[in-house]
Amino acid sequence: MITQSVWKDIIINMNRKIIEILKMLMLAIVLILVFVAYKKSNSNSGGDYVYQTVYDFAMGTSMQVTIYGNKDKSFKPDDIVDKIKELDEKLISWRSEKSELYKLNHEYKVGEPYYISYGLMKPLMDSAVLSVDSFGALDLTIRPLANLWNIEEATSENFTVPTDKQIKEALKYVDYKAVDEVMYEHDNYVVFDKEGMMLDLGATGKGYALDVAYEMLTEHNISGAMVSVGGSILIYGTKDSYKKEDNTWKVGIRDPKGSQEDLIGYLEYPCEKGFSKYISTSGSYEKYIEKDGVIYHHIFDSKTGYPASSGLASVTVVCDNGLKSDGLSTACFVLGYDKSKELLRHYNAEAVFIDEDNNVTVTDGLKDIYKDNK
């Protein structure tokens, strides 16, 4: 005979099971809705119009590629992602043992020409010119100093501030003037004047990847696209028939004192056929380590051997070339606002400077483009 207390236990257990089943159903519904929303945000098509977005990781940072108005169904955002990964791993990475730059850094002999491909020579030459024009504020030989500090890999637990003696020793191998790049029609070679030097395209490589992406977009007659590799962004063309009311490109500028999603302002350009701009940001908030109450960031001044201290928190540079926008943002961060003005004029570039107190200074060419987010 089932007593009243036994019935009570049975009913309670049944209610618990029903609640668990309902929870599982609700979770399943939420997951389905999230999946549908994700698919909707990453792919949309209608008629001749297609827009697609992919997210990935390359060159040690996050990547996003969105293409609009693509009538060439054989070309996808993944093609750009794959090309940039190949560019990094086989050509310009100082980390990848398979890359041409890695082999150059580890196989060269002082005073002897080391032959390389045009694919590597082009970014090296442009980075070398930037190094000269900025008087070493951007220095493509910075790697020995960066390796000493190791801010890219270290943690706050194992990080040690280098001694003045160690910094002075590392600076012996940081000298853009001690590298000679010669490019002929058929032969390209690099000559080092010192042992222990290393070339590093970390400050220009992401921008160069955007230049490569641009070539792919034009080759396949893509109507419009936005490509971002870390802090470097390419906006290209028009969004075609996507949302008639959304006829501008908006590129946010992060608030150095806020989280990753917090914007201090943004740049707004009209969507137009044939239009393109490269926008790169360098900031002390990107990679840093705090040790004993002091913050050490990853942008180094090759003259002092320490993280740059120009009073700036970030610099965003806009110009018509990806490699140059990337390199200029680093150089201007090291130089500071006043010393950057002539360099920007030389490259016909514009910039947004944010100092350590979050004061914003915009060059004349961006007065109507920059919008405050307050």
Side-chain angles (χ1 to χ4, degrees):
M1 180 177 177
I2 301 176
T3 65
Q4 185 175 357
S5 62
V6 172
W7 275 112
K8 184 176 180 182
D9 290 339
I10 292 173
I11 292 170
I12 290 172
N13 288 331
M14 287 180 64
N15 287 339
R16 287 174 177 170
K17 288 181 178 180
I18 291 171
I19 290 171
E20 290 301 317
I21 291 171
L22 287 173
K23 285 182 178 179
M24 291 176 66
L25 285 172
M26 289 298 293
L27 178 59
I29 291 170
V30 169
L31 290 174
I32 290 170
L33 290 174
V34 169
F35 176 76
V36 170
Y38 174 81
K39 293 293 285 182
K40 185 176 180 182
S41 67
N42 286 271
S43 179
N44 190 10
S45 63
D48 288 332
Y49 168 73
V50 175
Y51 105 80
Q52 294 175 303
T53 298
V54 296
Y55 303 89
D56 214 306
F57 190 83
M59 304 184 81
T61 189
S62 58
M63 270 188 69
Q64 177 181 336
V65 180
T66 299
I67 58 176
Y68 297 86
N70 179 16
K71 296 179 182 180
D72 180 358
K73 302 301 188 293
S74 66
F75 182 78
K76 293 179 172 55
D78 298 279
D79 296 329
I80 292 179
V81 171
D82 292 342
K83 183 65 176 180
I84 291 176
K85 285 183 176 181
E86 181 183 24
L87 172 74
D88 185 42
E89 294 168 5
K90 295 184 178 181
L91 208 65
I92 67 174
S93 172
W94 62 268
R95 288 187 179 94
S96 173
E97 295 183 9
K98 298 178 181 178
S99 84
E100 202 174 338
L101 180 61
Y102 182 94
K103 292 174 183 176
L104 166 63
N105 283 334
H106 292 82
E107 295 177 359
Y108 79 85
K109 295 180 180 179
V110 174
E112 295 184 11
Y114 189 101
Y115 291 91
I116 61 175
S117 68
Y118 174 80
L120 177 58
M121 178 58 82
K122 180 66 168 67
L124 283 182
M125 286 285 287
D126 290 345
S127 299
V129 171
L130 258 172
S131 296
V132 172
D133 290 342
S134 67
F135 299 98
L138 169 78
D139 194 321
L140 81 165
T141 66
I142 200 73
R143 179 46 45 190
L145 181 65
N147 283 345
L148 172 65
W149 282 87
N150 196 32
I151 289 175
E152 297 152 320
E153 306 292 340
T155 65
S156 56
E157 288 74 25
N158 64 23
F159 174 70
T160 301
V161 179
T163 64
D164 288 340
K165 183 178 180 180
Q166 289 174 318
I167 292 172
K168 188 176 181 180
E169 181 65 22
L171 285 176
K172 291 180 181 179
Y173 311 106
V174 178
D175 182 6
Y176 64 93
K177 297 176 184 177
V179 183
D180 186 24
E181 299 94 352
V182 180
M183 182 164 55
Y184 293 114
E185 185 176 355
H186 301 293
D187 293 324
N188 313 299
Y189 63 85
V190 178
V191 180
F192 290 86
D193 291 344
K194 298 179 183 179
E195 196 73 54
M197 298 186 70
M198 295 179 70
L199 300 183
D200 182 1
L201 293 174
T204 55
K206 297 175 184 64
Y208 182 63
L210 297 182
D211 292 327
V212 172
Y214 175 86
E215 292 176 0
M216 296 178 72
L217 294 169
T218 55
E219 179 184 349
H220 291 274
N221 297 314
I222 304 303
S223 298
M226 177 179 281
V227 182
S228 69
V229 185
S232 292
I233 297 173
L234 163 65
I235 49 178
Y236 170 81
T238 174
K239 297 179 185 178
D240 208 26
S241 60
Y242 173 67
K243 293 183 180 180
K244 294 294 185 182
E245 69 277 8
D246 185 10
N247 60 352
T248 62
W249 295 110
K250 293 180 181 178
V251 179
I253 298 176
R254 180 175 166 179
D255 181 346
K257 293 184 180 294
S259 66
Q260 192 169 359
E261 294 76 25
D262 294 328
L263 302 181
I264 200 167
Y266 61 93
L267 301 173
E268 186 172 21
Y269 285 96
C271 290
E272 297 174 351
K273 186 176 181 180
F275 170 85
S276 65
K277 284 291 179 186
Y278 297 87
I279 302 163
S280 296
T281 299
S282 293
S284 56
Y285 54 79
E286 292 172 332
K287 296 174 187 174
Y288 65 88
I289 285 182
E290 185 172 352
K291 189 74 172 181
D292 299 327
V294 180
I295 294 177
Y296 301 93
H297 62 76
H298 74 297
I299 305 174
F300 298 103
D301 186 335
S302 62
K303 289 181 173 58
T304 67
Y306 283 84
S309 56
S310 61
L312 296 174
S314 79
V315 180
T316 298
V317 172
V318 181
C319 71
D320 295 325
N321 177 277
L323 183 146
K324 292 173 184 175
S325 72
D326 197 6
L328 285 171
S329 67
T330 297
C332 291
F333 185 95
V334 174
L335 290 171
Y337 172 69
D338 289 330
K339 294 181 180 179
S340 295
K341 290 185 285 187
E342 182 57 37
L343 183 63
L344 291 170
R345 278 194 293 268
H346 178 73
Y347 280 93
N348 194 28
E350 305 291 342
V352 177
F353 296 84
I354 304 176
D355 69 19
E356 293 172 346
D357 295 321
N358 260 23
N359 297 310
V360 179
T361 303
V362 182
T363 56
D364 291 342
L366 295 180
K367 295 290 187 182
D368 296 327
I369 302 300
Y370 175 78
K371 314 292 181 184
D372 197 281
N373 208 41
K374 294 179 181 178

